[in-house]
Amino acid sequence: MNGKVRIPALLVLLLVLSAVPVSAADPPTVGLSDSQAGTGGSVTVTGEGWRPRALLMILICGQSAPSTGVTGGTDSCANADGRAVTTDAEGRFSRKVPVAEPPVPCPCVVHVATVEGARAEADAAFQVAGHAVEPLPADASGGRLAVLTDTRLDGSGSLLTWFGAAPSRTLVFTVGNVGTSAVRDPVFQVGTSRGVFAPEWQEQRWRGTIRPGGKARVELPVELAAGAHGGYTVSLKYGGKVMAEQPWDVGRPWGVTLFWVLVCLVVPAALFRAGMAAVDRLRPRPHRRRHGLRLPGLKPRRQARHAMSPTGPRT
C-alpha cells in the first residue's frame, strides 16, 4: 500500500519540477575595488559568470558607459595598458590593472571582453581622476547600416604566399544608411573562421560619414596566419549582428612543400658525398716502388733496346 502511494507522489513531484521555468544563464559581471583612481595607481577587477578557462582582455575605455558600452570601439581605450586574465574552472577571475588615461575624455568604464570563442563582454563604471570629462556623443541609434551588395574578396596570392607568407585580401562591400541619423566612423568587426570553429573577431574602423539614405563603399583588410590553407569563412559584423559571410578557399603553400622535399634530397646527398670524401682520404693507400730491382750484369730495358738496335746504315 505504501509503495502505491509513493509512486503517484513521485510523479506529482516530477510534474511540479518540470513546470518550473528554467531561467536563462545570467550574463557575466564585473566588479571593481575602487570606483575612482588616478593615473599611476591601480584597481583590482573581479568577475563572475564568465566561461570557464576563457581568456579575457581588460581595458580602461573613455566615452563609454555600462548602459551604452564602448561606443568608439577599442580606439577609445588605453590599449597599451590593458591586461589579460584567464578565468578559473567556475568562470571567476581577479586581476590588478594599472590606471591609465584613455585617448578620449571620460565618462569611462573598465571594459572586459573575451579574446576568442563566443563573444561576451561586460563594463563597470570607473572614473580616472584628473582626466577630462565630456558628455557622451549624441545617440546615433537612429542610424542603421545595411549591406546593399554582395561582399567580395579582392586581391590574389603572390610568390611569398606560395612559400608560406600570410594570405591577405580586401573585403569589399557597399552599405547604406537606412536610419534617420548620420553614422560617423562606423566600427565593423571582421572575423575569420575555419570549419566549425568560432570566428576570431577584429575591430576595424571605417573613416567617413554616411548620411540617412546615403551609401558608401567600404574596403576592409583581411589577413590570415602565415602558412594558412584550406576553406575559410570571412564574416562581417556591425552593431552585434552578422551582416554578411564570404567563403575564402586558400591554396596550399606548395613552395614550402617543395623546399622540404629538396632539403630531404639534397642534404642526405651532400652528407653522403662528404662522408665518401672523408673515407677516401683516411683509407690506407698501397706503397708503390719507384725503382725496379737491378741485378748485376743486367741493364735497364731502355738501354738494352738501344744496344740491340743497329747503328750502321741500312743497305
Side-chain angles (χ1 to χ4, degrees):
M1 184 66 181
N2 292 336
K4 295 181 180 180
V5 174
R6 290 176 182 176
I7 294 177
L10 181 59
L11 292 176
V12 172
L13 180 61
L14 291 176
L15 291 175
V16 172
L17 292 177
S18 61
V20 177
V22 179
S23 60
D26 295 332
T29 59
V30 174
L32 305 177
S33 59
D34 297 300
S35 61
Q36 179 177 347
T39 304
S42 61
V43 59
T44 301
V45 184
T46 58
E48 295 181 355
W50 297 85
R51 193 170 64 250
R53 309 300 182 188
L55 179 62
L56 310 178
M57 178 59 70
I58 306 175
L59 298 171
I60 296 179
C61 305
Q63 270 186 358
S64 305
S67 58
T68 60
V70 183
T71 57
T74 55
D75 288 345
S76 62
C77 304
N79 298 302
D81 297 283
R83 293 293 184 270
V85 65
T86 302
T87 60
D88 58 15
E90 298 179 355
R92 301 176 181 176
F93 72 89
S94 178
R95 185 75 159 86
K96 182 177 289 187
V97 179
V99 177
E101 295 188 54
V104 293
C106 283
C108 301
V109 298
V110 173
H111 179 69
V112 183
T114 54
V115 176
E116 54 188 4
R119 182 73 176 178
E121 57 186 11
D123 301 317
F126 183 71
Q127 178 64 39
V128 180
H131 192 55
V133 179
E134 294 182 3
L136 289 174
D139 186 12
S141 59
R144 295 183 294 114
L145 297 182
V147 177
L148 303 180
T149 60
D150 294 336
T151 58
R152 71 174 189 270
L153 292 173
D154 286 352
S156 59
S158 62
L159 183 61
L160 295 178
T161 306
W162 201 67
F163 280 96
S168 61
R169 295 289 188 275
T170 301
L171 182 64
V172 182
F173 56 95
T174 300
V175 294
N177 188 354
V178 296
T180 58
S181 62
V183 178
R184 296 178 177 84
D185 300 337
V187 178
F188 296 94
Q189 288 182 316
V190 179
T192 56
S193 61
R194 182 179 183 184
V196 298
F197 295 98
E200 296 182 2
W201 300 98
Q202 292 183 351
E203 291 184 348
Q204 298 191 25
R205 179 183 295 275
W206 183 79
R207 300 291 180 179
T209 301
I210 307 175
R211 302 188 178 279
K215 61 181 181 179
R217 182 184 178 191
V218 181
E219 298 182 359
L220 302 175
V222 183
E223 184 174 302
L224 301 178
H229 63 277
Y232 284 81
T233 301
V234 179
S235 304
L236 177 67
K237 183 190 291 187
Y238 177 76
K241 297 181 180 179
V242 178
M243 304 176 67
E245 292 183 344
Q246 178 68 33
W248 183 8
D249 188 13
V250 185
R252 181 181 294 273
W254 291 108
V256 178
T257 305
L258 178 61
F259 171 78
W260 286 113
V261 169
L262 292 177
V263 168
C264 293
L265 293 177
V266 173
V267 172
L271 293 176
F272 177 77
R273 295 190 63 180
M276 292 302 297
V279 171
D280 185 63
R281 290 183 179 181
L282 296 177
R283 69 180 179 181
R285 298 172 180 255
H287 179 68
R288 297 180 180 178
R289 296 182 179 180
R290 295 184 179 181
H291 304 285
L293 181 62
R294 294 185 180 182
L295 297 177
L298 296 179
K299 297 180 180 181
R301 182 177 299 175
R302 292 184 179 180
Q303 295 181 4
R305 289 181 180 179
H306 183 70
M308 294 175 62
S309 61
T311 59
R314 294 183 180 180
T315 59

